Amino acid sequence: MTDFLTDQQHAGQPTPAPGGEDFLVVENLSVQFPTHDGLVKAVNDLSYSVKMGETLGIVGESGSGKSVSSMAVLGLHDIKRSRLTGSIRVDGKEIIGASEQTLRKIRGNEVAMIFQDPLTALHPFYSVGAQIGEAYRIHHDVSKSKARAKAIEMLDRVGIPQAKSRVDDYPHQFSGGMRQRAMIAMALVNDPKLIIADEPTTALDVTVQAQILDLLQELQRDFRSAIIIITHDLGVVAEMADEVLVMYAGRAVEQGPTRELLTHPEMPYTWGLLSSMPDVTASTDARLVPIPGNPPSLLNPPTGCPFHPRCPHVDKVPGDLCRTELPEFLPGQRGTHHLKRCHLVNPDDIYATEVLPEIAPDLVELTLADNADVAHGDGMHGER
Amino acid sequence: MAGFIIRRVISSFLVVVLTSMFVFALFFLGPSNPAGPVCEASGKCTAERLALIEEQMGLNESVVTQYGAFAKGIFVDRTITIGSEYECDAPCLGISYGTRGQVTDELLEKYPATLSIAIGGAMIYLTLGVLLGVLAARWRGTAADRLLVGGSLLVSSVPYYLFALLAWIFLTLQWSIFPATGYTPLTENPGAWFAGLLLPWVVIGVTFSTQYARFTRGSMVETLGEDYIRTATAKGVKSNKVVFKHGLRAAIVPIVTIFGLDFAALLAGTVFTERIFNINGVGWWALNSIQSPQDFPVITATVLVSAVLVVVANLLVDVIYSFLDPRVRMS
Ligand SMILES: Nc1ncnc2c1ncn2[C@@H]1O[C@H](COP(=O)(O)OP(=O)(O)O)[C@@H](O)[C@H]1O
Ligand code: SF4
Ligand SMILES: [Mg+2]
């Protein structure tokens, strides 16, 4: 799997839809939950956008605000128990503060969601077909039998064998992988323009994971929908995403085109994610380096850069900047398409000389040469 | 599934048999001699007369023989001697020492009143309780929710009989809002049947509904936190439908279990209700039977009927449960 650390074109890599319209625009989104212990600042000043047909990968450790931010897109937070600020626009329509009626028209129709654990996300007391049919009938004025036929068609489409007889099965009669296929069928039944898949393979075993990811990619080609894939697994991102957003403590900390970001990460937290991936360190002379420490408290986030208590590179930043000042989310050395939130001035060199030798020694030469290219002004994106 | 039901029916049957044995044993271990009151009722009770009556009643036989005679009576007619001879048609539960009537006949005569009280009351408390519970869960944390939870605790802290007594004194006697006619059999006059039962129904309904409101609220709050509820919302299901279809469908399952057992208890005797509202039902009958002089055949019959009811309710709950939850149904 180390191949995604190089610039070699990934065989199955979908190409971004060039110059498409932004379908989803998230601007300065903050989500906070008042609790007994205080205010949980789950998402802070988050901005991103997704174009039609594009796949955005959102990566981060658990608790970094991935689910909370994506649930906000469908207006799934209880307004009595949460505070949302900023703007979320789906095809131009504002979500924050929208009426229940407006939200209902978008939910499951323009934007559909696939959840992490299909066993708990499907209702245990309704058949799979009934649940898919219900999703269809909410947005289409058709009879129950038409909806059932549609459910069979969708189950067949996502690769459930003998869909006709399985349509009346209950979720517990399906295997984990089949349940997730059913969940995907339910998400796609209304032909949504955006699918948000929140860790769609985390609850599945490895062989099934790959099948589900393949299915998602295949369906995306057919349905031309945009996908946001949420994961803590950079391998999934490497395979699926055109663009990657790395989140830490409810903030965007690095963002860029997938290959660019994976080959030239500029933020120590991303380096940590790469080092802690078992797949990356599979080569013999590399070692697994888990990110030391724990994700920060969202009740009392650290001052300055939220990553500073765990960051091994704090001393490379002059003064006490890492502890006192939150770095802005700005383009780094490699161009405007690659943003990062870090005070380091020469992250590319540090990555090539200090981080890469630890995690993938065989790639050091390649990356150093590439950095030199950028320094000389050619190969702007580090892509060939 | 069929195997499961057969196994449960067999074990239920065993429970009923064991209960009947237990009651019978208690009868023998008890402090009073059943022949005593019979003897006294028939004039001067000499030692010889007492011995004779004991002999006639079969009290000198072993417990096992007596139980055998009792159990046999459930299937075949028998003749019972209590002072004089009485016919007891199968299913025979004995002859009442007090009235010298067949216990089975009296049971069938008194049961409709109790059944009427229990079914009407249960329908009200179940509907009202579940509805209030769902609404409280839906608006949890709001003033309405707190009012409901607080009010329900308050009502629950007042003993039921006090409530019933106050309702009777004020609503029936003082203000005559409800008639004081007591119970009229449904077959005799449906209007009077309904009018006479209305107040007991309301009192049972309101008092027990608070408990059900709390059960339902708890079950609903838990269910509404489930992932599949979020899935339903994310599909675009209307919030009312999310709560009443997706939510209640799952939250009702534990409520059904509690209800089955509660209802059996209610059927076994609505003692306070019958006493206070002057209704001649099984509860009152049982209450009288344990007062001196004890009417053992009636005690045995009422305990046995309660046992059967509880066992049948348990069985029904299990069957309904398995129909409500496909995961149980299919295993
Ligand atoms: N309803 C809520 N009330 C309080 N805190 C919450 C709530 N939902 C999520 N959080 C907190 O927000 C943080 C981000 O959660 P989440 O977005 O689920 O993380 P992840 O990146 O693993 O998906 C977590 O610390 C979580 O505990
Ligand atoms: S700003 Fe400082 S603490 Fe934060 S990631 Fe960069 S070097 Fe580390
Ligand atoms: Mg999550």
Side-chain angles (χ1 to χ4, degrees):
Chain A
M1 220 358 137
T2 48
D3 56 346
F4 68 68
L5 289 181
T6 74
D7 283 346
Q8 309 314 314
Q9 177 80 40
H10 193 288
Q13 189 93 353
T15 40
E21 288 267 306
D22 282 340
F23 179 72
L24 170 69
V25 180
V26 175
E27 259 172 18
N28 310 108
L29 174 69
S30 292
V31 184
Q32 304 180 331
F33 302 103
T35 66
H36 288 302
D37 305 324
L39 197 60
V40 175
K41 303 181 194 74
V43 176
N44 300 295
D45 197 22
L46 180 70
S47 302
Y48 64 83
S49 59
V50 185
K51 295 186 195 335
M52 292 296 301
E54 184 189 50
T55 302
L56 171 71
I58 301 183
V59 204
E61 285 168 303
S62 101
S64 52
K66 306 182 297 294
S67 298
V68 169
S69 58
S70 58
M71 277 168 66
V73 173
L74 278 180
L76 291 178
H77 293 296
D78 184 346
I79 42 169
K80 294 194 290 289
R81 257 170 277 275
S82 58
R83 288 184 207 155
L84 276 80
T85 55
S87 164
I88 300 172
R89 291 186 300 279
V90 171
D91 207 9
K93 293 178 285 287
E94 180 59 54
I95 295 295
I96 292 182
S99 69
E100 178 76 19
Q101 209 175 346
T102 311
L103 291 175
R104 262 199 344 258
K105 281 198 198 111
I106 293 169
R107 290 172 180 159
N109 192 26
E110 286 183 64
V111 182
M113 212 152 172
I114 298 167
F115 296 102
Q116 174 171 344
D117 185 352
L119 183 60
T120 59
L122 289 167
H123 201 301
F125 298 166
Y126 293 110
S127 71
V128 167
Q131 296 185 58
I132 298 174
E134 181 185 38
Y136 190 57
R137 289 189 64 198
I138 291 167
H139 302 290
H140 294 84
D141 188 14
V142 296
S143 67
K144 278 207 166 139
S145 64
K146 281 236 172 63
R148 196 184 127 92
K150 181 75 182 178
I152 296 172
E153 179 197 322
M154 289 309 296
L155 285 175
D156 192 51
R157 183 69 196 77
V158 296
I160 303 277
Q162 278 123 34
K164 235 192 186 101
S165 61
R166 306 298 313 249
V167 69
D168 295 321
D169 279 5
Y170 290 89
H172 76 274
Q173 294 170 287
F174 275 28
S175 69
M178 290 210 320
R179 272 195 289 268
Q180 195 56 294
R181 283 172 194 268
M183 191 86 212
I184 292 172
M186 189 161 84
L188 288 170
V189 73
N190 293 308
D191 202 356
K193 298 195 186 79
L194 171 64
I195 298 164
I196 301 175
D198 190 349
E199 314 223 18
T201 59
T202 307
L204 307 174
D205 56 42
V206 186
T207 46
V208 183
Q209 283 186 11
Q211 292 168 10
I212 295 292
L213 292 180
D214 287 347
L215 174 68
L216 273 176
Q217 281 183 303
E218 182 194 326
L219 293 169
Q220 181 182 30
R221 275 196 295 276
D222 295 357
F223 287 77
R224 296 300 308 150
S225 43
I227 293 185
I228 295 178
I229 184 145
I230 296 169
T231 176
H232 57 257
D233 184 347
L234 281 174
V236 170
V237 159
E239 190 180 331
M240 300 279 298
D242 306 311
E243 178 91 4
V244 185
L245 173 70
V246 182
M247 283 186 73
Y248 186 76
R251 290 183 191 278
V253 293
E254 187 159 9
Q255 183 180 359
T258 306
R259 226 170 322 120
E260 156 71 18
L261 188 133
L262 292 177
T263 51
H264 299 90
E266 296 194 297
M267 151 87 196
Y269 177 63
T270 314
W271 301 344
L273 285 180
L274 283 166
S275 327
S276 60
M277 276 191 58
D279 281 342
V280 176
T281 52
S283 71
T284 45
D285 41 359
R287 62 192 180 94
L288 186 87
V289 196
I291 306 178
N294 292 309
S297 151
L298 297 173
L299 284 165
N300 286 306
T303 55
C305 169
F307 190 55
H308 87 248
R310 304 169 74 186
C311 182
H313 305 280
V314 178
D315 53 0
K316 299 188 184 74
V317 175
D320 218 10
L321 225 49
C322 289
R323 287 186 191 84
T324 56
E325 203 157 319
L326 175 71
E328 284 184 71
F329 195 46
L330 293 172
Q333 292 168 296
R334 303 182 52 83
T336 51
H337 60 305
H338 188 158
L339 300 147
K340 54 147 189 148
R341 192 186 286 282
C342 176
H343 291 305
L344 288 172
V345 285
N346 55 343
D348 293 326
D349 293 341
I350 297 172
Y351 179 66
T353 56
E354 289 185 32
V355 184
L356 211 49
E358 294 266 310
I359 60 171
D362 41 325
L363 298 178
V364 174
E365 292 304 317
L366 242 158
T367 307
L368 274 176
D370 203 54
N371 285 351
D373 283 354
V374 174
H376 291 127
D378 42 77
M380 180 64 187
H381 294 180
E383 286 169 341
R384 285 156 232 264
Chain B
M1 184 69 200
F4 162 78
I5 293 177
I6 291 168
R7 274 199 307 281
R8 290 290 281 108
V9 168
I10 292 171
S11 68
S12 306
F13 181 73
L14 286 176
V15 169
V16 171
V17 171
L18 283 174
T19 310
S20 70
M21 288 177 173
F22 180 70
V23 177
F24 223 79
L26 271 185
F27 178 7
F28 277 89
L29 298 174
S32 70
N33 179 357
V38 176
C39 180
E40 271 148 32
S42 57
K44 194 171 178 318
C45 182
T46 60
E48 299 88 69
R49 263 189 64 77
L50 185 66
L52 179 69
I53 289 171
E54 280 177 0
E55 170 75 42
Q56 286 173 337
M57 288 172 78
L59 296 173
N60 298 332
E61 308 282 347
S62 71
V63 187
V64 179
T65 314
Q66 290 190 52
Y67 180 76
F70 168 78
K72 194 176 152 205
I74 295 183
F75 305 100
V76 292
D77 300 349
R78 56 188 280 226
T79 308
I80 294 172
T81 313
I82 307 168
S84 41
E85 288 196 349
Y86 296 93
E87 289 300 316
C88 186
D89 305 333
C92 166
L93 292 171
I95 297 292
S96 163
Y97 296 171
T99 64
R100 301 297 159 90
Q102 293 192 24
V103 170
T104 311
D105 292 346
E106 293 188 10
L107 182 71
L108 292 177
E109 183 196 314
K110 290 171 198 297
Y111 221 84
T114 303
L115 202 64
S116 303
I117 298 175
I119 292 179
M123 269 166 54
I124 297 181
Y125 75 63
L126 191 62
T127 321
L128 191 66
V130 168
L131 191 70
L132 289 176
V134 170
L135 294 178
R138 181 173 184 178
W139 284 296
R140 66 188 172 283
T142 65
D145 176 30
R146 280 194 290 274
L147 189 75
L148 196 114
V149 172
S152 129
L153 284 170
L154 195 73
V155 172
S156 303
S157 67
V158 180
Y160 168 71
Y161 60 84
L162 189 60
F163 233 133
L165 208 54
L166 289 174
W168 170 256
I169 290 170
F170 286 99
L171 301 179
T172 302
L173 299 184
Q174 187 96 3
W175 300 325
S176 303
I177 298 171
F178 294 92
T181 49
Y183 178 74
T184 316
L186 177 63
T187 44
E188 218 166 85
N189 182 345
W193 171 81
F194 186 84
L197 286 169
L198 196 54
L199 186 58
W201 283 342
V202 169
V203 171
I204 292 179
V206 169
T207 12
F208 284 85
S209 73
T210 57
Q211 194 184 333
Y212 275 79
R214 270 177 295 136
F215 288 150
T216 308
R217 183 186 178 280
S219 182
M220 262 319 260
V221 165
E222 199 186 318
T223 305
L224 292 179
E226 296 283 351
D227 285 0
Y228 52 80
I229 296 299
R230 183 183 58 185
T231 307
T233 308
K235 286 202 289 196
V237 178
K238 283 188 186 150
S239 60
N240 265 334
K241 210 170 169 190
V242 171
V243 172
F244 282 95
K245 184 183 169 190
H246 295 254
L248 191 55
R249 175 68 181 77
I252 200 76
V253 176
I255 308 296
V256 168
T257 313
I258 302 168
F259 174 73
L261 303 180
D262 254 12
F263 186 61
L266 195 57
L267 275 180
T270 46
V271 181
F272 288 126
T273 316
E274 290 174 20
R275 279 296 274 123
I276 291 164
F277 298 103
N278 218 349
I279 294 168
N280 197 357
V282 174
W284 201 348
W285 189 45
L287 190 67
N288 285 335
S289 74
I290 56 170
Q291 283 160 358
S292 185
Q294 281 120 332
D295 198 340
F296 284 109
V298 176
I299 299 176
T300 317
T302 49
V303 173
L304 205 56
V305 166
S306 310
V308 171
L309 286 172
V310 170
V311 160
V312 168
N314 258 310
L315 194 64
L316 280 181
V317 163
D318 279 354
V319 172
I320 293 173
Y321 193 89
S322 67
F323 274 98
L324 283 178
D325 190 338
R327 291 168 299 188
V328 179
R329 192 193 317 155
M330 284 159 187
S331 60

